[in-house]
Structures are given as structure tokens and as C-alpha cells.
Amino acid sequence: MTATVRTTVPRAAGREPRTGLMRHLELPAEVLFIGVLVTVASLPLVTSLAAAGAGAVLLREKAATERTPTVRRFVSLLAASLRQPVALLAPAAAFAVAAADLLALAAGVPGGRPVGLLIALALTLVVLVGLRGAARWRPGVPWRTALVEAAAVVPRDWGGSLMLAGGLVVLAVVAFEVPAFIPVLPGLLVMAAVAVEGRRTR
């Protein structure tokens, strides 16, 4: 008589295996959840970069280990991000320049239109750097390092930058046409940045 040895695959504690349908349903729901967290954390505006960085970490964790995003984890990442002054100063400077641009256009300053277009282009580049920097940031990585690396990558990986710029345009149109989607759009934008950065490491 031969003994039959039955092997089993260990499961994660407290978790049941998910069916393919459940996995497909969970990912969009979790991305939308992260989008809402990023939107809420970005309401003070100057916290938008830190919020994007925290959301990017949650997305990477979900993709790499299927770790479920939680409010507690997001708040912990956001707090770690906000400990670095650059995370607040960079968005504050960008918003100050954008406000000055809008005021110049509204006041009808001579030459305001071409200057406004140049500033708008510069701000677009700043947003791209911010998004790609947020996709690179993680606890323990200085924001200055993440942003400097992102600034170098934006022109070098022009294909990824164009894809991300296209995503910005599409989401701006969606926000204008269907304002109800605004709370989840930041999560989609962060996901796009993480995807663009991820394709470079493959």
C-alpha cells in the first residue's frame, strides 16, 4: 500500500481565494477608492503632490502584492510625504505661477496672451514632472530626488510624457463634460503616471 501525500497551497491569513470575476471587479473599485482619497487629500491644493505620491504607493502595492488599499495606510503614507517641505513648496509655487498667469490674462496685460501660452506650457511640464515624480516617490526617498529624476526623464522618455499629457487632456475634457466624475479622476491620473513609469522598468 502506498501512502498518498496531499500538498496544499498556503493561503494568506484571513483571505479566501478570489475568482477571476472578483479580481476584475476589485481593481476598478480600488482605483476609484484611491482616486477619492487623493482628491480629498488634495483639497488644500498645496498637499496635492504628497497626496499623489501616497496614492501612487498604494497602486504599486496593489499591483505588486495585491495589498488592499486602506484609509489608514493612505494617511500613513501622506504623513510621511508631508514631513518633507518640498512636497508642500513645489505645488505652492506652481499654483502661485498659475494664479499670476490667470490674473495677467484677465487684466488684459499687453502681450499677455503669448506670455500666457508660454506659462501654460511651462505649467504643463511642471505637472508632468510632478506626476512622474509622484509615481517614483516612496517612503524613504526624498521628494527632491524623485522630482529631479522625473525632470530628467520627462524629455528623455518623450513617448511616455506624451501619453501622460494626452491623459491630462482626456481627463480635463471628462471633468468639464461630466463634473460628477471629478472625485475619481485624480486616481486615474496617478494610475496613468504609475503605468508610464512602470513601462520603463520592464
Side-chain angles (χ1 to χ4, degrees):
M1 179 180 294
T2 58
T4 301
V5 179
R6 184 173 299 174
T7 60
T8 58
V9 178
R11 298 176 184 173
R15 294 180 62 180
E16 293 297 325
R18 298 182 177 90
T19 64
L21 176 60
M22 285 303 296
R23 281 196 296 268
H24 285 304
L25 291 175
E26 283 180 353
L27 183 57
E30 289 171 340
V31 170
L32 295 179
F33 175 64
I34 292 171
V36 173
L37 291 177
V38 172
T39 300
V40 172
S42 300
L43 288 177
L45 296 183
V46 293
T47 57
S48 56
L49 182 61
V57 173
L58 288 184
L59 285 168
R60 286 197 305 269
E61 289 177 346
K62 177 61 183 175
T65 64
E66 293 195 359
R67 179 173 182 170
T68 301
T70 63
V71 174
R72 182 175 181 178
R73 175 62 174 161
F74 180 81
V75 170
S76 173
L77 292 167
L78 183 65
S81 181
L82 289 173
R83 291 191 190 103
Q84 302 180 44
V86 174
L88 292 171
L89 293 176
F95 284 120
V97 173
D101 184 29
L102 290 175
L103 288 174
L105 290 174
V109 176
R113 187 175 297 276
V115 172
L117 290 175
L118 288 175
I119 294 178
L121 178 60
L123 286 174
T124 300
L125 292 175
V126 168
V127 171
L128 291 177
V129 170
L131 284 171
R132 301 196 75 156
R136 288 168 167 266
W137 180 84
R138 54 185 49 79
V141 174
W143 267 110
R144 185 186 300 275
T145 300
L147 292 174
V148 168
E149 290 178 352
V153 167
V154 165
R156 189 165 64 239
D157 179 28
W158 59 268
S161 298
L162 283 177
M163 286 191 289
L164 200 51
L168 278 169
V169 173
V170 170
L171 294 182
V173 172
V174 171
F176 180 77
E177 296 291 341
V178 191
F181 285 159
I182 289 177
V184 300
L185 295 182
L188 297 177
L189 194 54
V190 171
M191 183 176 69
V194 170
V196 166
E197 287 299 311
R199 78 186 234 292
R200 299 184 66 252
T201 60
R202 292 175 185 172

